[in-house]
Amino acid sequence: MEWSISFVVTSILLGAGLAMDAFSVSLANGLNEPCMKKHRMCLIAGVFAFFQALMPLLGWLCVHTIAQTFTAFQKLIPWIALVLLCYIGGKMLWDGIRNRQEECGAGAVTLSALLVQGVATSIDALSVGFTIADYGWLMALCCALIIAAVTFGICLGGLLIGRKFGTKLAGKASILGGVILILIGLEIFITGVL
């Protein structure tokens, strides 16, 4: 593929498609932490954007180096996403049921949980490496950066929406956020297995 408007549009569309799981998790995070500050929102969106850019690059690298191993690993992707998101969602759900959070901040996602969310929502983006396999390394990098920018914007939107409704739902937001994460894990699993 050559540099063109088509390349940019395709990269934007890839970014939008890949960011949907991260958007949903951002929505759950916003629900769970309704008093989230802007710098924290940028951190969360940045983590999702980083992983959404990293995974296609790793997939591209695998295609150009160890394609056979990656093909075998691809069957595990839905299982990994299911386990990670169900674990985090289950913990949020449990905390919400036990009312272990205060109105603002006590239910905040930790950095380790955020990193797990970033991996879980972007692991399916590894397969995008196959779709961009004919790109040179610079085009693959540019595509990944466009995907990251789109993901960042979409996740900020999810956080803002979640935060707005989180203040209205107060104590039940953690329960709703946990259920959303579990459902996302199940959706990734079902679509990945079928």
Side-chain angles (χ1 to χ4, degrees), residues 49-129:
F50 171 77
F51 282 108
Q52 289 291 4
L54 178 67
M55 293 299 178
L57 286 175
L58 289 177
W60 180 88
L61 185 64
C62 287
V63 168
H64 290 276
T65 56
I66 51 173
Q68 296 300 344
T69 304
F70 180 69
T71 303
F73 173 75
Q74 193 171 12
K75 293 176 184 166
L76 297 175
I77 289 174
W79 290 95
I80 294 168
L82 176 69
V83 168
L84 293 175
L85 288 174
C86 283
Y87 171 75
I88 295 167
K91 185 173 181 328
M92 282 175 67
L93 186 61
W94 179 254
D95 288 347
I97 290 170
R98 293 186 58 205
N99 281 330
R100 289 181 48 192
Q101 66 180 30
E102 299 164 9
E103 192 168 311
C104 288
V109 65
T110 63
L111 182 60
S112 60
L114 179 60
L115 293 174
V116 170
Q117 288 176 352
V119 170
T121 58
S122 65
I123 197 162
D124 59 335
L126 276 168
S127 58
V128 171

Side-chain angles (χ1 to χ4, degrees), residues 130-162:
F130 285 125
T131 64
I132 63 171
D134 59 335
Y135 291 3
W137 72 269
L138 185 58
M139 284 186 82
L141 178 63
C142 287
C143 178
L145 291 175
I146 292 170
I147 289 170
V150 170
T151 300
F152 186 84
I154 288 174
C155 289
L156 274 180
L159 287 163
L160 286 168
I161 293 168

